[in-house]
Amino acid sequence: MLIDRSADTGSPPDQRLQDDYTAAADEYHVPRNVLMGVSYLQSRWDSHPGTPSVVGGFGPMHLVDTHVAPAPEAPHDPARPSAAAAGPPARPDAGTPDKPAAQSADLQRAAILTGLPAAQLRTEDAANVRGGAALLAATQRQLGKPLSANPADWWEAVAKFPGTTDKVSAEIYANDVFDVIRRGAQRTTDAGQHVTLTASPGVRPHAPAAQGGPRPKNVECPPELSCSWLGAPYVRIDDDAYGNHDLADRPKDQRIDYIVIHDTEAPLASMLLTIQDPEEASWHYSVRSSDGHVTQHIRTKDAAWHSGSQFVNARSIGVEHEGFLRHPDAWYTEQMYRSSARLVRYLAKKYQVPMDRQHIFGHDNVPAPTEDSIPDMHDDPGPFWDWRHYFDLLGAPLRATAGPDSDVVMILPDYGKHKPRFTGCAKPGVRCAPHGSSAVRLRSEPSDDAPLIQDPGRRPDGEDSTEDVNDLGSRVSAGQTFAVAGRSGDWTAIWFQGHKAWFRNPKAQPTAVGARGRVVTPKEGVKEISVFGRALPEKDAYPEGVDEQPEAPLPYSLRAGQRYVTQSRVLGSYIDRSSFGDSPAPVVKGQEAYYEIQFDHRLAYVRASDVDVVDPPAAAGPGHPATTAGH
């Protein structure tokens, strides 16, 4: 029987996990900061009670039990090959693109070492932490090393904990653990436990991350990542069609402005079949859930078919993450977040992509190119993707840049504490278990009883927005910035899709912070202007033989007095992808400028000639006087 040591200490109930780390570290003679650092990399100290990860990992130490079924899957998408077609989910052993590496954080072995039932290690945090400490101590002894109080002596044992056979991945993991130890960390877990790892500035990694061996020539990855290549086909299907991506010469012929974050909504094995099918969609990179392994499929100079918008595809890199947005605890792992952030940081630096939420965004933020395409746009990676944590890992933290009464706000809830109601995770209409979220819900008035904001484009049949986890119509997300339209008590209104949209924003637990930002508003005397899902060239820019594309404004408008934040000015462009060829199609480049704006949960574009650009007074700091300029 496991003894609840926290009860003996008199600690508050929300600090019991902190005491569990102390007790387990003392029992197995493992430095507490090493144990806590490993646990942070395994789970960020979260319990995910009763929910195994994609490889059957449990608890704060993510101990893997191969005797249990893998993580749950969402209902199958008939547009994609089935997981069954790809074979059963791969068990860890080799570290290939579709097979994660073997796990040494073995729950059954931990049960033997601790003398506790395996079921207890799966369900009780204290037992799970003891199991992790026992495994670390056993590995240290196997290495012939003492159970030292010096964290630096444990570097090799830490590198072996995740079980990867890839030297680069193992050293990255260990260095990440020691970076957490050096910097310290503090957070409230999914179980409401307050955990603090005090910084140890003197602790350093035992060795630098190894450089990988020879890579396939097509792989474009930072040297510290373990990456592989599985190419997507560029082939003619018939006289009128080809797949599954476009040849280009980026950034020479077209700037790369965006990096789009997706989740697969399918197991990776299935997606690796999809990427090799010329009649399916494509993307540039896949990131595996279990260990963050990266597989590249298309050169970044070429354009993948990943976003639902040819305009965005031509200007972006698509990164898929193995997972289901309705089951984040099973799939959105810390190692996946960290590998993805390393990759995206490398790509952003290489192509000078600004690290903000108007340039690094989700598939759910991609603007629909035309009105009729709005209902078909995707909603991944969803409300449970932790944008705040992700941007911390990118080295571009989302934070307040102006006072709380600024005329511009950044949506920024405390992910762990902010748990809006959602339905549909398990069954349609059934409430999801409370869960931290990046999403903030919007209402038509400053009241919890007010109707949700409606999206006539997403629901042209007039149906109301819902709280379903896949329904984007009435919510915004962490890092997105909006112009303030009003305040009332604990409520803040923003301009959203042509209307005032209200969200609860109490001072005690704010869901938005003050931000600097330039905004656009219709020119004086103009009642309303059109909003577009893409920035096309003017008529005179199209050469002979290339058909002019219709403007196709979206079913929304930007009215006089309304303001929307812009972080980018672009020139219209279009690429005719109608035929198969051995060289890239020419880019039609216009001279008419557009501003990209945060219009609702998705981005949009307005003509620069239709708007004035304003630096709101409340957002202007020292040396940045408020200005208004026509463009």
Side-chain angles (χ1 to χ4, degrees), residues 248-471:
D249 192 20
R250 306 183 308 177
K252 292 179 181 178
D253 61 356
Q254 174 70 70
R255 278 181 51 87
I256 294 175
D257 294 319
Y258 310 124
I259 299 172
V260 183
I261 304 300
H262 304 253
D263 79 29
T264 58
E265 294 299 308
L268 187 60
S270 175
M271 295 304 291
L272 296 182
L273 292 178
T274 299
I275 195 67
Q276 298 173 81
D277 185 341
E279 298 190 42
E280 288 285 349
S282 61
W283 54 96
H284 292 90
Y285 296 89
S286 296
V287 186
R288 188 165 57 206
S289 170
S290 61
D291 60 359
H293 180 85
V294 174
T295 306
Q296 186 172 356
H297 310 291
I298 296 172
R299 295 293 302 272
T300 55
K301 73 180 183 65
D302 295 327
W305 298 352
H306 64 97
S307 76
S309 166
Q310 187 188 71
F311 178 82
V312 172
N313 289 347
R315 295 169 177 255
S316 69
I317 294 170
V319 183
E320 287 275 4
H321 299 77
E322 183 185 20
F324 297 88
L325 67 86
R326 281 171 280 179
H327 301 295
D329 295 341
W331 299 88
Y332 293 174
T333 64
E334 180 66 6
Q335 291 188 59
M336 184 171 73
Y337 274 123
R338 286 178 176 259
S339 289
S340 175
R342 282 189 168 94
L343 173 66
V344 169
R345 187 168 60 239
Y346 160 84
L347 294 170
K349 181 178 180 180
K350 181 176 181 178
Y351 294 110
Q352 298 181 313
V353 177
M355 285 200 284
D356 59 52
R357 287 281 276 117
Q358 283 196 12
H359 294 88
I360 298 174
F361 49 77
H363 199 180
D364 48 4
N365 309 132
V366 173
T370 59
E371 178 177 356
D372 60 0
S373 66
I374 295 174
D376 298 323
M377 298 302 287
H378 285 220
D379 43 27
D380 57 290
F384 304 131
W385 181 265
D386 192 344
W387 285 108
R388 189 171 192 166
H389 179 52
Y390 191 62
F391 270 75
D392 283 345
L393 295 174
L394 287 174
L398 304 173
R399 58 192 175 194
T401 54
D405 296 326
S406 171
D407 286 350
V408 172
V409 292
M410 175 186 288
I411 305 301
L412 200 61
D414 183 322
Y415 181 90
K417 296 179 181 178
H418 178 66
K419 299 181 179 181
R421 175 187 168 102
F422 287 105
T423 62
C425 291
K427 295 181 180 179
V430 176
R431 186 172 182 176
C432 303
H435 197 285
S437 175
S438 292
V440 172
R441 189 162 285 119
L442 304 173
R443 299 189 178 273
S444 58
E445 298 292 340
S447 167
D448 290 322
D449 298 326
L452 297 173
I453 288 292
Q454 306 304 312
D455 182 348
R458 185 173 175 83
R459 294 178 177 270
D461 53 7
E463 291 183 16
D464 291 340
S465 294
T466 70
E467 294 179 335
D468 187 88
V469 70
N470 292 104
D471 191 341

Side-chain angles (χ1 to χ4, degrees), residues 9 24 39 54 94 106 118 135 153 159 165 169 172 227 231 242 246 258 268 271 321-322 334 342 438 491 565 588:
T9 67
S39 181
V54 60
D106 188 286
L135 288 169
D153 294 337
T165 58
S169 297
I172 290 170
C227 300
Y242 70 95
D246 296 316
Y258 310 124
L268 187 60
M271 295 304 291
H321 299 77
E322 183 185 20
E334 180 66 6
R342 282 189 168 94
S438 292
W491 291 79
V565 173
V588 179

Side-chain angles (χ1 to χ4, degrees), residues 41-72:
L41 257 291
Q42 293 292 97
S43 72
R44 294 184 75 210
W45 304 324
D46 283 340
S47 303
H48 305 318
T51 303
S53 73
V54 60
V55 293
F58 289 89
M61 300 301 300
H62 191 253
L63 302 182
V64 176
D65 190 348
T66 58
H67 292 76
V68 301

